[in-house]
Amino acid sequence: MSSCNSCNSCDPAAAELCTVAAAADIPTVWDRYAAQQPQCGFGSLGVCCRICWKGPCRIDPFGKGPQRGICGADRDTIVARNLSRMMAAGAAGHSEHGRHIALAMQRVGRNELPAYQIRDEAKLTAVAGRLGIATEGRAIGPIAYDVATLTLEDYQNQDHHHACNWITSSLPRKRIDKLRALDVLPHNIDATVAQIMARTSVGCDADPTNVVLGGIKGALADFTGMCLATELSDAMFGTPQPVVTTANLGVIRKDSVNIAVNGHNPLLSEVICDVARTMQEKAKAAGAKDGINIVGICCSGNEVMLRHGVPLATNYLSQELAILTGALDAMVVDVQCIMPSLGEVAECFHTRLVTTMDENKMPGATHVSFHEEHAVETARTIIDMAIDAFTLRDPKRIRISSAVSKAVVGFSAEAVIGALAKIDPDDPLKPLVDNIVNGNIRGIALFAGCNNTQSTQDGGFQTIAKKLAKNNVLLLATGCGAGAFAKLGLMTPEATNAYAGDTLKAVLTAVGEAAGLGGPLPMVLHMGSCVDNSRAVAVATAIADRLGVDLHDLPLVASAPEAMSEKAVAIGTWSVCLGLPTHIGTVPQVTGSAVVTDLLTHGAADLFGGYFIVEPNPEAAADTLLGAIEERRGALGI
């Protein structure tokens, strides 16, 4: 192994542990990024095609070499196909998560899974009402079964004229009408993904605009899957409410059995949290005087952070570094955003890497197959493995960072509206709407997306957020973006006092004190994992309905400063389709086609009211987002 210690992160814990990696000759994600330079220019532009075996084909971006692939596809068709396939993959990831939750809820409704229950019956009843399911005088089990069964219709419906239940029940009527007129409303999540793959295969759709519109339908299927996954998870595991916890690699404890949950699916991580509470004495008997310490990584970490106050160790890009502390006894992974390198890093330490999903195995890991009917037994097996690993630690190799920050998290849509209700119980949205209209809050920004080695880890999130907050913009965050803010101490009342503009600070203070927090709300409101972006849309939809306008009329923007994955492509696209100016800080792999680039950055505005802002410089991005907010305010006359 070879390491060059090329850490590019503004997280001090990451920088500290990269020196440990270098000393032990263990390569990290930053080393592998450096080794890949220079990266393929054709791939960066999106002008390479590997869909068939006649190729791969590449289009010369300078116009001197080939201008068409072997089949005759030009740069616009190739880029459009590649982009649409990324949207399909993103939709598949989030919707598969949702399907897993829905199938589990169906079995909970039949009383077949004793490890699970409906923890928020009020949320389930509200969801049933939105979906048109009767609840009066009915037991909660049959209601859960009916909600899950109707949800699964969004994966099965074959009537092209009937849009998915969850998207039509989650957006303002004006937005649904616009999307229906453009024929981009999905009728079936699975069918939409399959149709994208079919139409982008050899000899099919070659019109770049038509191909992208097909991809857009896939992005809206992604939104559908996210909505249902979040709402059903809340009903089963509890709707998040504000909780104080901690974040960054300093949450790993020397005298505890440390178990990290990593991935995106809460079905196992929730049970691990429950079972760990019953096994504390066993861990202490093995020598861990502080018992078992569950920590989170990526979005499984965000899920248990919001619902249980479990500390978040880190976000996507620095997940390897949790093992490099020498004190992580087990990392339990489920699906999505899990680095294949973890097995190689874990082999250098005592850490047990445990895969749990049969469709997601990794070299170097121990596989413990997870099925809901055996959830408790599986959790107990994994925790036993962690306790055994604890006894194999090398004390000389323990290097736990001192970096740790307080974080106030758990701002679901219900929690936000509940806090506002403390000011006006009869009309909870009125305080927020009034402060947007009078300019105390200039607008709202949603931060989402991943980490990317092409950026300084967490740097874009931090820079843009501080500038927007100074200009009195209310900030919401999900996923690895939320993880960045939590690690850097920006999800605290203290950050509000330090960085927020005067009028925003006054509003956050008034709401926080009315809600009993004894001070302002945190500068950035943590709304959940990346699948929980629908929470922010729920708040925006409530505001739009309250004002009788569409989403694109609101002073609302989105930003993914370090976008990386196919899921981020799908999220950013549906954000644009809902009417939001949407910033991405990583240049997307579409710039080889002027047609596709223009459609995303200009043509989309005419069709949907939203558009992409591509700007790697975070200072410039913040200025552009502020300009978009002011433009929307001007159009509203406020």
Side-chain angles (χ1 to χ4, degrees):
M1 291 183 289
S2 176
S3 174
C4 61
N5 190 30
S6 56
C7 181
N8 183 24
S9 174
C10 62
D11 179 354
E16 179 183 348
L17 284 163
C18 278
T19 64
V20 176
D25 200 29
I26 299 172
T28 68
V29 63
W30 289 282
D31 301 316
R32 294 189 294 274
Y33 173 71
Q36 288 291 328
Q37 303 307 309
Q39 290 175 294
C40 173
F42 294 97
S44 297
L45 295 173
V47 290
C48 53
C49 177
R50 295 167 53 205
I51 289 173
C52 83
W53 287 4
K54 296 192 300 294
C57 296
R58 303 185 302 186
I59 304 301
D60 184 348
F62 303 108
K64 296 179 180 179
Q67 295 303 295
R68 289 184 179 271
I70 295 168
C71 73
D74 64 12
R75 69 180 64 212
D76 300 317
T77 296
I78 290 172
V79 170
R81 285 173 173 171
N82 290 340
L83 176 65
S84 291
R85 285 186 166 219
M86 284 190 276
M87 294 181 200
H94 283 138
S95 64
E96 188 64 18
H97 174 160
R99 187 204 319 270
H100 203 164
I101 300 294
L103 288 169
M105 178 178 279
Q106 201 175 45
R107 297 180 69 188
V108 169
R110 294 195 298 252
N111 200 29
E112 295 176 358
L113 297 177
Y116 302 94
Q117 59 184 301
I118 302 301
R119 294 186 177 179
D120 191 340
E121 295 185 3
K123 178 65 175 273
L124 181 65
T125 302
V127 166
R130 279 172 52 193
L131 296 174
I133 294 170
T135 60
E136 188 69 29
R138 301 182 68 202
I140 203 67
I143 295 173
Y145 179 82
D146 286 352
V147 167
T149 301
L150 185 62
T151 294
L152 290 169
E153 285 188 12
D154 281 356
Y155 297 86
Q156 301 160 355
N157 168 51
Q158 301 303 316
D159 181 357
H160 288 252
H161 301 293
H162 178 74
C164 288
N165 299 302
W166 274 95
I167 192 169
T168 55
S169 66
S170 300
L171 294 174
R173 178 50 48 193
K174 290 183 178 180
R175 181 55 36 170
I176 292 296
D177 291 343
K178 179 179 284 291
L179 297 176
R180 180 173 284 114
L182 291 168
D183 194 27
V184 292
L185 280 176
H187 72 286
N188 173 324
I189 295 171
D190 289 347
T192 300
V193 172
Q195 286 166 1
I196 291 172
M197 300 306 292
R199 73 193 296 169
T200 57
S201 62
V202 176
C204 294
D205 196 350
D207 181 291
T209 300
N210 202 45
V211 171
V212 172
L213 286 173
I216 283 171
K217 185 178 287 189
L220 290 166
D222 178 77
F223 175 74
T224 305
M226 295 173 78
C227 287
L228 65 90
T230 294
E231 300 292 87
L232 299 193
S233 293
D234 282 354
M236 283 183 62
F237 307 126
T239 302
Q241 295 293 327
V243 61
V244 180
T245 184
T246 52
N248 216 329
L249 287 161
V251 303
I252 294 173
R253 301 199 302 239
K254 180 179 179 181
D255 295 316
S256 296
V257 174
N258 294 295
I259 303 172
V261 292
N262 182 6
H264 284 73
N265 191 324
L267 282 166
L268 178 58
S269 54
E270 283 283 331
V271 179
I272 286 176
C273 290
D274 292 339
V275 173
R277 285 190 281 270
T278 71
M279 298 181 67
Q280 295 290 343
E281 293 306 316
K282 187 170 186 178
K284 291 176 182 178
K289 65 180 184 181
D290 291 335
I292 298 169
N293 179 38
I294 307 295
V295 302
I297 295 175
C298 287
C299 283
S300 285
N302 280 315
E303 296 269 9
V304 294
M305 186 187 201
L306 266 65
R307 295 193 174 96
H308 300 281
V310 167
L312 184 76
T314 193
N315 47 2
Y316 169 76
L317 204 58
S318 45
Q319 60 186 271
E320 298 165 301
L321 304 186
I323 298 173
L324 282 157
T325 63
L328 187 68
D329 303 300
M331 184 183 292
V332 187
V333 302
D334 46 69
V335 296
Q336 299 177 28
C337 295
I338 299 157
M339 290 188 183
S341 63
L342 291 174
E344 182 182 24
V345 178
E347 287 175 353
C348 300
F349 291 85
H350 73 292
T351 308
R352 298 295 296 271
L353 177 65
V354 183
T355 55
T356 58
M357 299 300 191
D358 291 342
E359 66 273 23
N360 289 272
K361 297 182 180 181
M362 296 167 56
T366 300
H367 187 69
V368 179
S369 184
F370 166 69
H371 301 279
E372 291 89 343
E373 59 269 26
H374 303 300
V376 172
E377 295 91 333
T378 301
R380 188 174 291 117
T381 296
I382 291 170
I383 295 170
D384 276 334
M385 291 169 62
I387 293 173
D388 289 342
F390 171 84
T391 65
L392 302 176
R393 278 188 192 176
D394 182 352
K396 296 178 182 178
R397 300 190 71 191
I398 293 177
R399 178 76 174 271
I400 300 175
S401 172
S402 61
V404 62
S405 299
K406 182 177 82 171
V408 183
V409 303
F411 290 91
S412 60
E414 290 84 354
V416 171
I417 292 173
L420 293 169
K422 301 293 184 180
I423 296 178
D424 191 334
D426 297 325
D427 190 357
L429 285 174
K430 188 174 187 299
L432 179 58
V433 171
D434 286 350
N435 279 288
I436 292 174
V437 171
N438 66 27
N440 288 337
I441 296 175
R442 302 302 298 175
I444 302 173
L446 168 64
F447 286 90
C450 329
N451 291 146
N452 193 323
T453 44
Q454 295 186 30
S455 309
T456 298
Q457 185 192 18
D458 304 335
F461 288 105
Q462 177 178 231
T463 299
I464 298 172
K466 286 181 179 179
K467 190 160 192 176
L468 295 186
K470 182 179 179 181
N471 284 274
N472 300 301
V473 176
L474 179 64
L475 309 179
L476 316 174
T478 61
C480 282
F485 294 127
K487 289 191 306 173
L488 298 176
L490 297 178
M491 289 183 158
T492 63
E494 292 79 9
T496 300
N497 289 327
Y499 302 113
D502 290 341
T503 57
L504 175 63
K505 186 188 305 181
V507 174
L508 294 178
T509 299
V511 176
E513 290 180 344
L517 299 181
L521 296 177
M523 187 184 93
V524 185
L525 303 184
H526 192 320
M527 301 200 84
S529 66
C530 66
V531 81
D532 294 330
N533 281 298
S534 55
R535 296 193 199 280
V537 177
V539 174
T541 294
I543 295 171
D545 288 342
R546 173 75 162 65
L547 295 173
V549 300
D550 195 356
L551 292 174
H552 82 273
D553 297 312
L554 299 176
L556 175 64
V557 297
S559 176
E562 301 175 35
M564 174 275 297
S565 72
E566 293 161 321
K567 294 183 299 175
V569 174
I571 293 169
T573 302
W574 66 245
S575 175
V576 166
C577 293
L578 299 192
L580 279 61
T582 301
H583 163 248
I584 49 176
T586 307
V587 178
Q589 295 166 357
V590 300
T591 53
S593 166
V595 170
V596 175
T597 301
D598 184 70
L599 176 61
L600 297 177
T601 56
H602 296 97
D606 297 328
L607 293 172
F608 301 104
Y611 52 90
F612 278 108
I613 300 164
V614 180
E615 179 51 74
N617 183 299
E619 286 282 352
D623 289 336
T624 303
L625 290 168
L626 288 169
I629 286 171
E630 293 306 318
E631 182 181 11
R632 299 285 168 108
R633 292 186 64 85
L636 283 171
I638 58 176

